[in-house]
Amino acid sequence: MTTDAQSKETTDGFHLVIEALKLNGIDTIFGLPGIPITDFTRKAQAEGIRVISFRHEQNAGNAAAIAGFLTQKPGICLTVSAPGFLNGLTALANATTNCFPMILISGSSEREIVDLQQGDYEEMDQLAIAKPLCKAAFRVLHAEDIGVGIARAIRAAVSGRPGGVYLDLPAKLFGQTLDAEAGKKSLIKVVDPAPRQIPDQTAIQRALDLLKAAKRPLILLGKGAAYAQADANIRALIEKTGIPYLPMSMAKGILPDTHEQSAAAARSFVLPGADVVLLIGARLNWLLSHGKGKTWGGKGPKDWGGQKFIQIDISPQEMDSNVAIDAPIVGDIDSCVSALLGGIGSGWARPSADWLGAISERKDKNLAKMAETLTKNPTPMNFHSALNVMRDIIKANPDAILVNEGANALDFTRSIVDMYKPRKRLDVGTWGVMGIGMGFAVAAAVVTGESVIAIEGDSAFGFSGMEVETICRYNLPVCVVIFNNNGVYRGTDVNPTGGPDVAPTVFVKNARYEKLMEAFGGVGVYATNPAELRKAMEEALRSRKPTLINAAIDETAGTESGRITSLNPQSAKKK
Ligand code: OXT
Ligand code: ADP
Ligand code: MG
């Protein structure tokens, strides 16, 4: 046996992990080095894996998660033990919640010491802590099991309903040596990691019968539909049936938002008005008012509107989670949609002119109202006048990826900025979580090579703002636009006691965030009107240089929590 790990006779844990990842087509790792994984990051880079190093593990984790969403391959996040692991955990839990495939790989302390609680360096029982927050969790203790560990992690992340997986690699594992030939043989190339799940024909027929009998049908597209990359079949289903559709936030662009069958601008009309709703990769969670209540035409919060539901989902347990699903279709979206298409012949009756006409009328009214608001040019600039610019910019650059977080900065952007292509809008997702911004932006630029525009509330940006250094370090074509209204929701709250502290939602007024980008060699711009914003955006997209535009927005313009004000508990007195 020789001590040189790269010699012909022996290999070690470091190399086996790297080889196992490479064997499975993983070419990028998002992480943050330190004990015990510093050498691992060096060796991975030396062996041709792209290692994108972050300033905080949460952002590396978010990057891995969205890389998974964009590529259908598990995004890898690598962290050190205990505190680094915990920093990555929010992103792992968020990935699981959103059904994004990612693997959090953390180095960990020695099992013997952890289990006896003898106080090792960064001691923590990481596997136990990760378990309830992810889809699966594994630990590898022996170098000969690395191949199996990586294979299991990959399968768990991408098969069935995708999600977050934790892989625990104790420090000792990396240095373990193994006969090189035996090591090579122990690696597994995962065959068909996310097998198609073909739906049952009876379920398809049941759904077609329901859809055929519908008087006011509606299709709801969720981010599962975007993830599935079944774009052509989904478009064909919508266009062949003539059924109006509503995209959830991250499903915008599967068909262009300007498509004549989009009912996005008539949301509050079509949800209560529909009699049969086909859900494709969308859950009836809080974002859809759990399928009941006033949003759906019910009389009270628990009252069902009477709609019948068809649901396509890969997870059988999703069915009946909130309301009865009359026609469940369990399978992968591409197979399910293609099976439905098979049952839609030339004799298919398109929805009635009454239903389509009523939607058009409502839509035209809302679009006209929106157009009127967008032409206004108030001083100071407000969300609408700034977003009028962003809307034109995305229209002219449909391949650019839009990352979006905040409250008003999120909600106004979602309804004003049309998306033209699938998987181009990435946002706060199921949890409405702040902090995804820079991690998503970095990963989107790295894995797609496209320009990225991140529209950020000033509060939202603060959660991951230090990663502008990462954006500059890797010279990524990311343009961050901060909608700076001096605080969380608004900058106008006052401390009722008259004391020296400002109100909890208020920030330093007129903060110059653009200087943060300048500090690392990027371009910083302070924009106080739409013309300045437009000029800076056009230049950022032309140059592809890291850019931060600090857009000064009227601090009175926002509302509490954006469009979800009603979710704020009110005090009894206020009621
Ligand atoms: O039909 P009607 O008439 O109702 O009209 C609808 C559509 O028909 C119409 N529409 C259109 N009209 C014309 N043309 C077009 N094209 C068009 N499209 C649509 O517009 C309306 C609205 O349509 P929409 O949006 O589709 O419908 P609606 O009813 O809004 O949909 C409902 C929802 C629930 C699906 C939707 O609202 C939604 O997706 N909401 C997501 C909300 C969300 O997730 N928010 C983020 C969380 S808020 C809060 O939690 C925040 N925090 C706390 C915090 C968090 N989150 N995380 C962590 C780790 N820590 C703390 C914080 C700190 S936000 C926040 C920071 C906020 O401050 P910032 O400075 O960052 O941001 P600012 O607010 O900007 O200051
Ligand atoms: P949205 O927030 O856009 O409504 P959700 O995250 O709530 O979307 O729902 C996504 C759903 O899509 C999940 O229930 C998930 O199981 C499902 N899903 C993800 N990928 C696939 C796929 N390839 N085939 C079928 N269903 C899928
Ligand atoms: Mg704000």
Side-chain angles (χ1 to χ4, degrees), residues 72 97-99 160-162 221-225 227-228 248-251 280-285 287-288 311-315 318 331-334 429-430:
Q72 296 183 326
T97 300
N98 282 283
C99 317
R161 171 182 277 177
L221 300 177
K223 64 169 115 63
Y227 174 78
M248 297 300 285
S249 195
M250 281 177 59
I280 308 184
R283 288 171 285 186
L284 283 172
N285 57 14
L287 288 154
L288 284 168
Q311 183 162 21
I312 299 181
D313 206 290
I314 203 151
S315 165
E318 188 53 40
D332 73 271
I333 287 169
D334 205 24
T430 307

Side-chain angles (χ1 to χ4, degrees), residues 141-256:
L141 290 176
H142 304 292
E144 58 267 35
D145 293 331
I146 286 172
V148 168
I150 300 274
R152 299 213 72 188
I154 290 172
R155 266 196 201 283
V158 296
S159 63
R161 171 182 277 177
V165 174
Y166 177 60
L167 186 63
D168 193 87
L169 302 184
K172 255 202 248 175
L173 179 81
F174 293 108
Q176 282 179 25
T177 54
L178 198 66
D179 172 74
E181 201 44 45
K184 203 170 163 200
K185 273 197 198 142
S186 72
L187 301 185
I188 294 173
K189 182 166 167 53
V190 179
V191 176
D192 198 9
R196 305 202 70 153
Q197 286 183 221
I198 314 292
D200 185 282
Q201 200 48 42
T202 319
I204 293 294
Q205 198 50 54
R206 190 187 294 120
L208 284 169
D209 291 347
L210 199 53
L211 215 49
K212 246 181 235 164
K215 292 201 163 51
R216 297 178 308 282
L218 177 70
I219 294 178
L220 246 162
L221 300 177
K223 64 169 115 63
Y227 174 78
Q229 301 193 12
D231 313 329
N233 272 336
I234 290 174
R235 186 170 187 148
L237 179 74
I238 288 171
E239 290 182 343
K240 269 194 170 174
T241 58
I243 297 175
Y245 74 95
L246 197 60
M248 297 300 285
S249 195
M250 281 177 59
K252 277 166 71 80
I254 295 179
L255 286 85

